[in-house]
Amino acid sequence: MSDGYLENFIQSTFDAIGGIAGKCLVLGGDGRFYNDRAAQKILKMAAGNGAGRIIVGQNALLSTPAASHLIRMNRADGGIILSASHNPGGPAADFGIKFNMANGGPAGEAITDAIHARTETISEYFTVECADTDLGRIGKSQIGDMEVRVVDPVTDYADLMETLFDFNAIRSMFEAGFRMRFDAMCAVTGPYATEILENRLAAAKGTVVNAVPLPDFGGMHPDPNPVWASTLMEAMFAPDGPDFGAASDGDGDRNMMVGRRIYVSPSDSLAVLAANAHLAPGYSQGIKGVARSMPTSAAADRVAAALGVPCFETPTGWKFFGSLLDAGKATLCGEESFGTGSDHIREKDGLWAVLLWLNIIAQRNKNVKEIMKDHWREYGRNYYSRHDYDALPVVQAEAVMARVRDQIGRLAGRTVAGLTVAAADEFAYTDPTDGSVSRGQGLRIILKDGGRIVFRLSGTGTEGATLRLYLERYESGPEELDLDVQKALAPIAAAAAELAGIAEITGRTGPDVVT
Ligand code: MG
């Protein structure tokens, strides 16, 4: 909010993409505090830089998936999304600005590096003095020679969803009494979910809760996981809970899925969606391949193998999926951090995942628990959990990583806490489409029998460092498919603790968040 700060970043972005003279950009955000002010400043700067046309969501609202779609649909040159994703909003909380490229996906490293470099040398910015644009009114207006087109933020996105899914089948299911609870967490998906689920698909009024986007998200932390969406979890595990539950994050690209009395891990969700995508009209021709981030469980790999399509293991970050989608190598993508998507846009997409699940439930006429049990019987079960140690002093978090890294070259063949290590490395990725190499993407310890431990530091928190520990164990025997997840993973967790010395280095006796 300080003078010139936002202007510096926006001008550096415009400069880094070769200027925006005559270009078309999409603009919108998740409605958090400062969304409206930032949008007005950006419009004036776009005019000052000679942009041809800006397409803005009404009231400066656009979910990240809807922005990605609008960029592609209008063949825009890019888009600016105002959001800090799943981080809290408000005057003392988080705000962010993302730049997406003409393909609808997040800017790649070459562009983000160029933006950063420009912020260090910039000496001026361009803007115009004029009244604010009325962003509450749909229609066209001008700032000088630049056209401002205010559009309904929901309609085009909802129309895209209708082309991908069998809305008639889902509507029939709701009309027959299927009950759902969608928690929009006072963030941007409220209007999208209300229009699609309640208006177009005839879900009961009140299906969408916390449906109005608020500048401070009503004090909620819009991060869809069992901890921050605990009221949804309670509703889904209540004796008369709904048939299906879902939650979304601040900007609408993440999702959490819950059935009645069963939580679906994001890794399992990706695997089930891959195995059943052909039941939705948009994917009836089958999928070309699956991509998952490295820390995501190998459940999707087993589905890809059965389908005879490739499975790509990428570093964390949606841009790596974008290049596979652009090249037509993968159709579905997912990551354990509650992100799933497909080649319909170039961002992850929370509501899309919800609708694909609904389409599958409607076609198979089974509940979530039955679908999960069928899946595990067919493919085996990858027990999986992520343990987060939040807001660690950076020095401590790095010390934990260093301790594991120091051992990694000599772990293969060794036994740790009774488990034999098959292989261990620091994950590096070569992009199959452009040959670019990304190193230092997490420490992997692969155990005999399909188990795995991964250590990573997260880049999306804003306070200290978050150490993420990913635990996985594979079982295929019929008696081993219904264990308690944390109990099943206890031996793996013990091995991880012994290797990394987490308690000794950080003084923490357990994780802050378990998902
Ligand atoms: Mg997000």
Side-chain angles (χ1 to χ4, degrees), residues 194-241:
T194 303
E195 168 62 14
I196 294 171
L197 298 173
E198 295 185 11
N199 297 349
R200 298 198 186 192
L201 290 170
K205 295 289 169 212
T207 293
V208 182
V209 298
N210 298 312
V212 178
L214 298 173
D216 65 349
F217 304 128
M220 299 176 92
H221 185 154
D223 193 354
N225 64 44
V227 176
W228 293 114
S230 58
T231 52
L232 175 65
M233 293 296 285
E234 280 161 28
M236 295 307 299
F237 280 77
D240 189 32

mmCIF file of all heavy atoms in Angstrom, residues 194-241:
data_model
loop_
_atom_site.group_PDB
_atom_site.id
_atom_site.type_symbol
_atom_site.label_atom_id
_atom_site.label_comp_id
_atom_site.label_asym_id
_atom_site.label_seq_id
_atom_site.Cartn_x
_atom_site.Cartn_y
_atom_site.Cartn_z
ATOM 1 N N THR A 194 -22.352 -21.015 -6.375
ATOM 2 C CA THR A 194 -23.790 -20.773 -6.274
ATOM 3 C C THR A 194 -24.428 -20.858 -7.661
ATOM 4 O O THR A 194 -25.458 -21.527 -7.844
ATOM 5 C CB THR A 194 -24.058 -19.390 -5.643
ATOM 6 O OG1 THR A 194 -23.403 -19.346 -4.367
ATOM 7 C CG2 THR A 194 -25.544 -19.157 -5.453
ATOM 8 N N GLU A 195 -23.827 -20.204 -8.651
ATOM 9 C CA GLU A 195 -24.396 -20.231 -10.000
ATOM 10 C C GLU A 195 -24.400 -21.661 -10.556
ATOM 11 O O GLU A 195 -25.404 -22.123 -11.109
ATOM 12 C CB GLU A 195 -23.592 -19.306 -10.936
ATOM 13 C CG GLU A 195 -23.881 -19.440 -12.423
ATOM 14 C CD GLU A 195 -25.318 -19.095 -12.817
ATOM 15 O OE1 GLU A 195 -26.051 -18.488 -12.005
ATOM 16 O OE2 GLU A 195 -25.716 -19.461 -13.950
ATOM 17 N N ILE A 196 -23.274 -22.361 -10.434
ATOM 18 C CA ILE A 196 -23.173 -23.676 -11.073
ATOM 19 C C ILE A 196 -23.958 -24.737 -10.298
ATOM 20 O O ILE A 196 -24.780 -25.456 -10.872
ATOM 21 C CB ILE A 196 -21.693 -24.088 -11.227
ATOM 22 C CG1 ILE A 196 -20.995 -23.135 -12.214
ATOM 23 C CG2 ILE A 196 -21.583 -25.536 -11.706
ATOM 24 C CD1 ILE A 196 -19.494 -23.291 -12.299
ATOM 25 N N LEU A 197 -23.730 -24.828 -8.990
ATOM 26 C CA LEU A 197 -24.347 -25.921 -8.234
ATOM 27 C C LEU A 197 -25.833 -25.652 -7.967
ATOM 28 O O LEU A 197 -26.680 -26.512 -8.234
ATOM 29 C CB LEU A 197 -23.613 -26.135 -6.907
ATOM 30 C CG LEU A 197 -22.143 -26.549 -7.026
ATOM 31 C CD1 LEU A 197 -21.473 -26.564 -5.654
ATOM 32 C CD2 LEU A 197 -22.013 -27.933 -7.678
ATOM 33 N N GLU A 198 -26.149 -24.461 -7.439
ATOM 34 C CA GLU A 198 -27.539 -24.211 -7.033
ATOM 35 C C GLU A 198 -28.411 -23.779 -8.214
ATOM 36 O O GLU A 198 -29.537 -24.241 -8.346
ATOM 37 C CB GLU A 198 -27.579 -23.154 -5.921
ATOM 38 C CG GLU A 198 -26.895 -23.642 -4.641
ATOM 39 C CD GLU A 198 -27.028 -22.665 -3.478
ATOM 40 O OE1 GLU A 198 -27.819 -21.706 -3.565
ATOM 41 O OE2 GLU A 198 -26.324 -22.875 -2.466
ATOM 42 N N ASN A 199 -27.891 -22.886 -9.086
ATOM 43 C CA ASN A 199 -28.743 -22.378 -10.172
ATOM 44 C C ASN A 199 -28.787 -23.325 -11.370
ATOM 45 O O ASN A 199 -29.856 -23.636 -11.877
ATOM 46 C CB ASN A 199 -28.277 -20.995 -10.625
ATOM 47 C CG ASN A 199 -28.400 -19.964 -9.498
ATOM 48 O OD1 ASN A 199 -29.016 -20.237 -8.467
ATOM 49 N ND2 ASN A 199 -27.800 -18.807 -9.685
ATOM 50 N N ARG A 200 -27.612 -23.781 -11.838
ATOM 51 C CA ARG A 200 -27.626 -24.603 -13.058
ATOM 52 C C ARG A 200 -27.838 -26.088 -12.777
ATOM 53 O O ARG A 200 -28.333 -26.809 -13.627
ATOM 54 C CB ARG A 200 -26.319 -24.407 -13.834
ATOM 55 C CG ARG A 200 -26.110 -22.960 -14.293
ATOM 56 C CD ARG A 200 -25.082 -22.838 -15.394
ATOM 57 N NE ARG A 200 -24.810 -21.425 -15.685
ATOM 58 C CZ ARG A 200 -24.131 -20.998 -16.748
ATOM 59 N NH1 ARG A 200 -23.649 -21.872 -17.623
ATOM 60 N NH2 ARG A 200 -23.925 -19.712 -16.936
ATOM 61 N N LEU A 201 -27.412 -26.566 -11.587
ATOM 62 C CA LEU A 201 -27.498 -28.008 -11.323
ATOM 63 C C LEU A 201 -28.565 -28.368 -10.291
ATOM 64 O O LEU A 201 -28.688 -29.539 -9.904
ATOM 65 C CB LEU A 201 -26.131 -28.534 -10.865
ATOM 66 C CG LEU A 201 -25.069 -28.559 -11.968
ATOM 67 C CD1 LEU A 201 -23.690 -28.851 -11.386
ATOM 68 C CD2 LEU A 201 -25.414 -29.594 -13.044
ATOM 69 N N ALA A 202 -29.332 -27.381 -9.836
ATOM 70 C CA ALA A 202 -30.494 -27.631 -8.976
ATOM 71 C C ALA A 202 -30.142 -28.238 -7.623
ATOM 72 O O ALA A 202 -30.970 -28.906 -7.004
ATOM 73 C CB ALA A 202 -31.524 -28.516 -9.695
ATOM 74 N N ALA A 203 -28.917 -28.013 -7.154
ATOM 75 C CA ALA A 203 -28.625 -28.402 -5.766
ATOM 76 C C ALA A 203 -29.470 -27.520 -4.852
ATOM 77 O O ALA A 203 -29.812 -26.389 -5.198
ATOM 78 C CB ALA A 203 -27.139 -28.202 -5.461
ATOM 79 N N ALA A 204 -29.807 -28.046 -3.664
ATOM 80 C CA ALA A 204 -30.677 -27.305 -2.746
ATOM 81 C C ALA A 204 -30.061 -25.952 -2.394
ATOM 82 O O ALA A 204 -28.838 -25.827 -2.291
ATOM 83 C CB ALA A 204 -30.877 -28.130 -1.475
ATOM 84 N N LYS A 205 -30.935 -24.946 -2.213
ATOM 85 C CA LYS A 205 -30.454 -23.643 -1.730
ATOM 86 C C LYS A 205 -29.741 -23.863 -0.392
ATOM 87 O O LYS A 205 -30.202 -24.659 0.429
ATOM 88 C CB LYS A 205 -31.631 -22.681 -1.525
ATOM 89 C CG LYS A 205 -32.351 -22.314 -2.816
ATOM 90 C CD LYS A 205 -31.516 -21.397 -3.717
ATOM 91 C CE LYS A 205 -32.160 -21.274 -5.092
ATOM 92 N NZ LYS A 205 -31.181 -21.086 -6.187
ATOM 93 N N GLY A 206 -28.635 -23.181 -0.215
ATOM 94 C CA GLY A 206 -27.880 -23.382 1.024
ATOM 95 C C GLY A 206 -26.797 -24.452 0.896
ATOM 96 O O GLY A 206 -26.059 -24.697 1.845
ATOM 97 N N THR A 207 -26.720 -25.091 -0.285
ATOM 98 C CA THR A 207 -25.642 -26.058 -0.524
ATOM 99 C C THR A 207 -24.283 -25.367 -0.393
ATOM 100 O O THR A 207 -23.337 -25.908 0.173
ATOM 101 C CB THR A 207 -25.793 -26.668 -1.942
ATOM 102 O OG1 THR A 207 -26.983 -27.465 -1.957
ATOM 103 C CG2 THR A 207 -24.592 -27.523 -2.311
ATOM 104 N N VAL A 208 -24.214 -24.129 -0.934
ATOM 105 C CA VAL A 208 -22.966 -23.362 -0.845
ATOM 106 C C VAL A 208 -23.009 -22.532 0.434
ATOM 107 O O VAL A 208 -23.925 -21.728 0.624
ATOM 108 C CB VAL A 208 -22.804 -22.441 -2.070
ATOM 109 C CG1 VAL A 208 -21.466 -21.689 -1.990
ATOM 110 C CG2 VAL A 208 -22.880 -23.260 -3.362
ATOM 111 N N VAL A 209 -22.045 -22.741 1.311
ATOM 112 C CA VAL A 209 -21.987 -21.966 2.552
ATOM 113 C C VAL A 209 -20.788 -21.025 2.500
ATOM 114 O O VAL A 209 -19.841 -21.244 1.738
ATOM 115 C CB VAL A 209 -21.912 -22.875 3.805
ATOM 116 C CG1 VAL A 209 -23.155 -23.748 3.902
ATOM 117 C CG2 VAL A 209 -20.649 -23.727 3.801
ATOM 118 N N ASN A 210 -20.848 -19.957 3.312
ATOM 119 C CA ASN A 210 -19.817 -18.901 3.287
ATOM 120 C C ASN A 210 -19.627 -18.415 1.854
ATOM 121 O O ASN A 210 -18.508 -18.314 1.342
ATOM 122 C CB ASN A 210 -18.499 -19.401 3.878
ATOM 123 C CG ASN A 210 -18.645 -19.812 5.334
ATOM 124 O OD1 ASN A 210 -19.220 -19.068 6.125
ATOM 125 N ND2 ASN A 210 -18.174 -20.988 5.671
ATOM 126 N N ALA A 211 -20.759 -18.109 1.205
ATOM 127 C CA ALA A 211 -20.794 -17.917 -0.243
ATOM 128 C C ALA A 211 -20.448 -16.497 -0.702
ATOM 129 O O ALA A 211 -20.262 -16.287 -1.893
ATOM 130 C CB ALA A 211 -22.182 -18.295 -0.770
ATOM 131 N N VAL A 212 -20.390 -15.548 0.218
ATOM 132 C CA VAL A 212 -20.130 -14.159 -0.208
ATOM 133 C C VAL A 212 -18.647 -13.815 0.021
ATOM 134 O O VAL A 212 -18.152 -13.919 1.145
ATOM 135 C CB VAL A 212 -21.024 -13.180 0.587
ATOM 136 C CG1 VAL A 212 -20.729 -11.735 0.184
ATOM 137 C CG2 VAL A 212 -22.495 -13.507 0.352
ATOM 138 N N PRO A 213 -17.928 -13.415 -1.041
ATOM 139 C CA PRO A 213 -16.523 -13.044 -0.865
ATOM 140 C C PRO A 213 -16.406 -11.806 0.022
ATOM 141 O O PRO A 213 -17.100 -10.823 -0.204
ATOM 142 C CB PRO A 213 -16.044 -12.729 -2.293
ATOM 143 C CG PRO A 213 -17.079 -13.283 -3.213
ATOM 144 C CD PRO A 213 -18.369 -13.298 -2.439
ATOM 145 N N LEU A 214 -15.564 -11.867 1.018
ATOM 146 C CA LEU A 214 -15.366 -10.733 1.935
ATOM 147 C C LEU A 214 -13.888 -10.333 1.931
ATOM 148 O O LEU A 214 -13.014 -11.189 1.740
ATOM 149 C CB LEU A 214 -15.777 -11.144 3.357
ATOM 150 C CG LEU A 214 -17.244 -11.534 3.549
ATOM 151 C CD1 LEU A 214 -17.478 -12.076 4.962
ATOM 152 C CD2 LEU A 214 -18.163 -10.351 3.262
ATOM 153 N N PRO A 215 -13.610 -9.023 2.161
ATOM 154 C CA PRO A 215 -12.211 -8.559 2.093
ATOM 155 C C PRO A 215 -11.270 -9.288 3.058
ATOM 156 O O PRO A 215 -10.094 -9.443 2.779
ATOM 157 C CB PRO A 215 -12.318 -7.074 2.460
ATOM 158 C CG PRO A 215 -13.736 -6.697 2.168
ATOM 159 C CD PRO A 215 -14.560 -7.921 2.388
ATOM 160 N N ASP A 216 -11.842 -9.727 4.205
ATOM 161 C CA ASP A 216 -10.981 -10.453 5.167
ATOM 162 C C ASP A 216 -11.392 -11.928 5.258
ATOM 163 O O ASP A 216 -11.038 -12.623 6.208
ATOM 164 C CB ASP A 216 -11.057 -9.797 6.540
ATOM 165 C CG ASP A 216 -12.464 -9.900 7.136
ATOM 166 O OD1 ASP A 216 -13.414 -10.278 6.410
ATOM 167 O OD2 ASP A 216 -12.614 -9.607 8.340
ATOM 168 N N PHE A 217 -12.136 -12.403 4.245
ATOM 169 C CA PHE A 217 -12.640 -13.779 4.218
ATOM 170 C C PHE A 217 -13.390 -14.116 5.514
ATOM 171 O O PHE A 217 -13.362 -15.260 5.983
ATOM 172 C CB PHE A 217 -11.506 -14.785 3.975
ATOM 173 C CG PHE A 217 -10.722 -14.514 2.714
ATOM 174 C CD1 PHE A 217 -9.339 -14.410 2.743
ATOM 175 C CD2 PHE A 217 -11.362 -14.368 1.502
ATOM 176 C CE1 PHE A 217 -8.617 -14.144 1.584
ATOM 177 C CE2 PHE A 217 -10.653 -14.114 0.332
ATOM 178 C CZ PHE A 217 -9.274 -13.994 0.373
ATOM 179 N N GLY A 218 -14.036 -13.089 6.095
ATOM 180 C CA GLY A 218 -14.789 -13.324 7.331
ATOM 181 C C GLY A 218 -13.905 -13.806 8.471
ATOM 182 O O GLY A 218 -14.376 -14.463 9.402
ATOM 183 N N GLY A 219 -12.619 -13.492 8.383
ATOM 184 C CA GLY A 219 -11.684 -13.948 9.424
ATOM 185 C C GLY A 219 -11.246 -15.390 9.221
ATOM 186 O O GLY A 219 -10.486 -15.930 10.021
ATOM 187 N N MET A 220 -11.733 -16.047 8.157
ATOM 188 C CA MET A 220 -11.354 -17.439 7.913
ATOM 189 C C MET A 220 -9.990 -17.494 7.221
ATOM 190 O O MET A 220 -9.527 -16.524 6.633
ATOM 191 C CB MET A 220 -12.392 -18.126 7.019
ATOM 192 C CG MET A 220 -13.781 -18.176 7.620
ATOM 193 S SD MET A 220 -14.978 -18.901 6.472
ATOM 194 C CE MET A 220 -14.885 -20.605 6.980
ATOM 195 N N HIS A 221 -9.407 -18.642 7.289
ATOM 196 C CA HIS A 221 -8.141 -18.906 6.580
ATOM 197 C C HIS A 221 -8.517 -19.796 5.397
ATOM 198 O O HIS A 221 -8.755 -20.990 5.576
ATOM 199 C CB HIS A 221 -7.189 -19.622 7.546
ATOM 200 C CG HIS A 221 -5.825 -19.839 7.003
ATOM 201 N ND1 HIS A 221 -4.720 -19.962 7.805
ATOM 202 C CD2 HIS A 221 -5.356 -19.957 5.742
ATOM 203 C CE1 HIS A 221 -3.644 -20.148 7.055
ATOM 204 N NE2 HIS A 221 -4.003 -20.166 5.814
ATOM 205 N N PRO A 222 -8.635 -19.208 4.191
ATOM 206 C CA PRO A 222 -9.249 -19.960 3.076
ATOM 207 C C PRO A 222 -8.287 -20.969 2.443
ATOM 208 O O PRO A 222 -7.905 -20.860 1.287
ATOM 209 C CB PRO A 222 -9.639 -18.854 2.099
ATOM 210 C CG PRO A 222 -8.605 -17.801 2.311
ATOM 211 C CD PRO A 222 -8.218 -17.865 3.771
ATOM 212 N N ASP A 223 -7.901 -21.934 3.250
ATOM 213 C CA ASP A 223 -6.985 -22.979 2.813
ATOM 214 C C ASP A 223 -7.724 -24.306 2.972
ATOM 215 O O ASP A 223 -7.979 -24.742 4.096
ATOM 216 C CB ASP A 223 -5.727 -22.936 3.701
ATOM 217 C CG ASP A 223 -4.600 -23.765 3.128
ATOM 218 O OD1 ASP A 223 -4.817 -24.458 2.116
ATOM 219 O OD2 ASP A 223 -3.497 -23.725 3.707
ATOM 220 N N PRO A 224 -8.175 -24.909 1.873
ATOM 221 C CA PRO A 224 -9.058 -26.071 1.985
ATOM 222 C C PRO A 224 -8.309 -27.331 2.385
ATOM 223 O O PRO A 224 -7.855 -28.100 1.543
ATOM 224 C CB PRO A 224 -9.645 -26.198 0.574
ATOM 225 C CG PRO A 224 -8.575 -25.643 -0.315
ATOM 226 C CD PRO A 224 -7.852 -24.585 0.483
ATOM 227 N N ASN A 225 -8.157 -27.538 3.662
ATOM 228 C CA ASN A 225 -7.617 -28.798 4.170
ATOM 229 C C ASN A 225 -8.387 -29.142 5.443
ATOM 230 O O ASN A 225 -9.167 -28.320 5.935
ATOM 231 C CB ASN A 225 -6.094 -28.702 4.386
ATOM 232 C CG ASN A 225 -5.715 -27.682 5.455
ATOM 233 O OD1 ASN A 225 -6.328 -27.617 6.521
ATOM 234 N ND2 ASN A 225 -4.707 -26.876 5.156
ATOM 235 N N PRO A 226 -8.217 -30.356 5.964
ATOM 236 C CA PRO A 226 -9.049 -30.764 7.112
ATOM 237 C C PRO A 226 -8.891 -29.858 8.333
ATOM 238 O O PRO A 226 -9.801 -29.778 9.159
ATOM 239 C CB PRO A 226 -8.553 -32.181 7.407
ATOM 240 C CG PRO A 226 -8.031 -32.674 6.097
ATOM 241 C CD PRO A 226 -7.400 -31.476 5.450
ATOM 242 N N VAL A 227 -7.757 -29.165 8.445
ATOM 243 C CA VAL A 227 -7.554 -28.297 9.612
ATOM 244 C C VAL A 227 -8.316 -26.986 9.446
ATOM 245 O O VAL A 227 -9.119 -26.600 10.302
ATOM 246 C CB VAL A 227 -6.051 -28.017 9.812
ATOM 247 C CG1 VAL A 227 -5.829 -27.038 10.959
ATOM 248 C CG2 VAL A 227 -5.311 -29.327 10.077
ATOM 249 N N TRP A 228 -8.100 -26.275 8.333
ATOM 250 C CA TRP A 228 -8.717 -24.968 8.162
ATOM 251 C C TRP A 228 -10.169 -25.063 7.718
ATOM 252 O O TRP A 228 -10.947 -24.124 7.896
ATOM 253 C CB TRP A 228 -7.911 -24.113 7.184
ATOM 254 C CG TRP A 228 -6.572 -23.753 7.749
ATOM 255 C CD1 TRP A 228 -5.355 -24.162 7.289
ATOM 256 C CD2 TRP A 228 -6.295 -22.945 8.907
ATOM 257 N NE1 TRP A 228 -4.350 -23.661 8.077
ATOM 258 C CE2 TRP A 228 -4.892 -22.904 9.075
ATOM 259 C CE3 TRP A 228 -7.101 -22.252 9.805
ATOM 260 C CZ2 TRP A 228 -4.268 -22.194 10.102
ATOM 261 C CZ3 TRP A 228 -6.478 -21.545 10.838
ATOM 262 C CH2 TRP A 228 -5.081 -21.527 10.979
ATOM 263 N N ALA A 229 -10.552 -26.181 7.127
ATOM 264 C CA ALA A 229 -11.972 -26.382 6.770
ATOM 265 C C ALA A 229 -12.599 -27.362 7.756
ATOM 266 O O ALA A 229 -13.349 -28.274 7.381
ATOM 267 C CB ALA A 229 -12.091 -26.872 5.335
ATOM 268 N N SER A 230 -12.311 -27.163 9.051
ATOM 269 C CA SER A 230 -12.746 -28.148 10.046
ATOM 270 C C SER A 230 -14.263 -28.194 10.193
ATOM 271 O O SER A 230 -14.821 -29.251 10.492
ATOM 272 C CB SER A 230 -12.091 -27.877 11.394
ATOM 273 O OG SER A 230 -12.423 -26.569 11.820
ATOM 274 N N THR A 231 -14.970 -27.068 9.957
ATOM 275 C CA THR A 231 -16.437 -27.137 10.112
ATOM 276 C C THR A 231 -17.050 -28.000 9.007
ATOM 277 O O THR A 231 -18.038 -28.697 9.232
ATOM 278 C CB THR A 231 -17.096 -25.737 10.086
ATOM 279 O OG1 THR A 231 -16.657 -25.049 8.916
ATOM 280 C CG2 THR A 231 -16.740 -24.930 11.307
ATOM 281 N N LEU A 232 -16.434 -27.980 7.816
ATOM 282 C CA LEU A 232 -16.907 -28.875 6.750
ATOM 283 C C LEU A 232 -16.649 -30.334 7.139
ATOM 284 O O LEU A 232 -17.519 -31.193 6.954
ATOM 285 C CB LEU A 232 -16.205 -28.545 5.428
ATOM 286 C CG LEU A 232 -16.527 -29.490 4.270
ATOM 287 C CD1 LEU A 232 -17.999 -29.391 3.869
ATOM 288 C CD2 LEU A 232 -15.630 -29.194 3.061
ATOM 289 N N MET A 233 -15.466 -30.597 7.678
ATOM 290 C CA MET A 233 -15.150 -31.970 8.097
ATOM 291 C C MET A 233 -16.162 -32.456 9.139
ATOM 292 O O MET A 233 -16.659 -33.576 9.066
ATOM 293 C CB MET A 233 -13.729 -32.037 8.682
ATOM 294 C CG MET A 233 -12.626 -31.788 7.675
ATOM 295 S SD MET A 233 -12.531 -33.037 6.371
ATOM 296 C CE MET A 233 -11.792 -34.410 7.276
ATOM 297 N N GLU A 234 -16.491 -31.574 10.114
ATOM 298 C CA GLU A 234 -17.468 -31.952 11.149
ATOM 299 C C GLU A 234 -18.815 -32.282 10.521
ATOM 300 O O GLU A 234 -19.442 -33.281 10.859
ATOM 301 C CB GLU A 234 -17.640 -30.823 12.166
ATOM 302 C CG GLU A 234 -16.536 -30.788 13.209
ATOM 303 C CD GLU A 234 -16.450 -29.430 13.908
ATOM 304 O OE1 GLU A 234 -17.485 -28.733 14.001
ATOM 305 O OE2 GLU A 234 -15.329 -29.071 14.335
ATOM 306 N N ALA A 235 -19.249 -31.438 9.577
ATOM 307 C CA ALA A 235 -20.545 -31.675 8.929
ATOM 308 C C ALA A 235 -20.531 -33.005 8.169
ATOM 309 O O ALA A 235 -21.520 -33.750 8.177
ATOM 310 C CB ALA A 235 -20.870 -30.528 7.968
ATOM 311 N N MET A 236 -19.406 -33.331 7.537
ATOM 312 C CA MET A 236 -19.345 -34.536 6.714
ATOM 313 C C MET A 236 -19.233 -35.808 7.561
ATOM 314 O O MET A 236 -19.560 -36.891 7.101
ATOM 315 C CB MET A 236 -18.150 -34.465 5.747
ATOM 316 C CG MET A 236 -18.244 -33.360 4.715
ATOM 317 S SD MET A 236 -19.776 -33.358 3.754
ATOM 318 C CE MET A 236 -19.681 -34.962 2.960
ATOM 319 N N PHE A 237 -18.749 -35.665 8.793
ATOM 320 C CA PHE A 237 -18.623 -36.836 9.663
ATOM 321 C C PHE A 237 -19.773 -36.929 10.669
ATOM 322 O O PHE A 237 -19.811 -37.816 11.499
ATOM 323 C CB PHE A 237 -17.257 -36.837 10.375
ATOM 324 C CG PHE A 237 -16.147 -37.344 9.479
ATOM 325 C CD1 PHE A 237 -15.609 -36.533 8.483
ATOM 326 C CD2 PHE A 237 -15.680 -38.643 9.594
ATOM 327 C CE1 PHE A 237 -14.607 -37.005 7.628
ATOM 328 C CE2 PHE A 237 -14.678 -39.124 8.748
ATOM 329 C CZ PHE A 237 -14.146 -38.303 7.772
ATOM 330 N N ALA A 238 -20.736 -35.989 10.583
ATOM 331 C CA ALA A 238 -21.909 -36.040 11.464
ATOM 332 C C ALA A 238 -22.799 -37.215 11.050
ATOM 333 O O ALA A 238 -22.736 -37.680 9.913
ATOM 334 C CB ALA A 238 -22.678 -34.722 11.356
ATOM 335 N N PRO A 239 -23.633 -37.713 11.985
ATOM 336 C CA PRO A 239 -24.456 -38.895 11.688
ATOM 337 C C PRO A 239 -25.315 -38.734 10.425
ATOM 338 O O PRO A 239 -25.459 -39.666 9.656
ATOM 339 C CB PRO A 239 -25.339 -39.037 12.935
ATOM 340 C CG PRO A 239 -24.592 -38.332 14.015
ATOM 341 C CD PRO A 239 -23.800 -37.248 13.366
ATOM 342 N N ASP A 240 -25.872 -37.551 10.214
ATOM 343 C CA ASP A 240 -26.721 -37.349 9.034
ATOM 344 C C ASP A 240 -26.038 -36.395 8.047
ATOM 345 O O ASP A 240 -26.656 -35.496 7.489
ATOM 346 C CB ASP A 240 -28.087 -36.800 9.473
ATOM 347 C CG ASP A 240 -29.069 -36.791 8.297
ATOM 348 O OD1 ASP A 240 -28.951 -37.684 7.424
ATOM 349 O OD2 ASP A 240 -29.914 -35.872 8.241
ATOM 350 N N GLY A 241 -24.744 -36.574 7.857
ATOM 351 C CA GLY A 241 -23.968 -35.673 7.006
ATOM 352 C C GLY A 241 -24.400 -35.743 5.557
ATOM 353 O O GLY A 241 -25.040 -36.700 5.122
#
